[in-house]
Amino acid sequence: MSTPTYPTEKCRSCPAQVIWAVTERGKSMPVDAEPAAGGNVQLVERYGQLTAVVVPVKRAFGRTTLRKSHLMTCPHADEWRRR
Ligand SMILES: [Zn+2]
């Protein structure tokens, strides 16, 4: 199975590459560019919009294509929360 690639850009606060997606509530959310163990965010195209779907822990277990929200991994996440 090939993994789709998405456009990435550098985080505004740290050197990480992130993918900008929209949450199911319509808010912009940066997601780590690379899938990671323990990730719980699945990127799906929905109505032409790259959407970040949060997968419940039970269903996320053992999956290798899930990413982490960059809000969780960014060393400057405090700045994100203040926005
Ligand atoms: Zn960052």
Side-chain angles (χ1 to χ4, degrees):
M1 198 179 89
S2 70
T3 308
T5 54
Y6 302 106
T8 60
E9 63 181 77
K10 199 180 91 54
C11 174
R12 290 173 206 146
S13 308
C14 79
Q17 289 291 317
V18 299
I19 299 165
W20 280 96
V22 168
T23 68
E24 291 176 284
R25 290 178 180 176
K27 293 184 74 177
S28 293
M29 183 173 107
V31 179
D32 283 356
E34 295 296 327
N40 69 338
V41 176
Q42 182 172 23
L43 294 176
V44 295
E45 297 268 3
R46 192 176 279 176
Y47 309 118
Q49 180 78 261
L50 189 59
T51 306
V53 177
V54 175
V55 177
V57 176
K58 266 193 255 176
R59 283 177 44 214
F61 184 78
R63 292 175 65 175
T64 57
T65 58
L66 301 178
R67 292 172 167 83
K68 289 182 180 175
S69 164
H70 192 60
L71 300 175
M72 309 296 285
T73 62
C74 186
H76 301 287
D78 285 354
E79 290 174 35
W80 291 100
R81 274 189 217 103
R82 262 184 258 129
R83 270 175 215 154

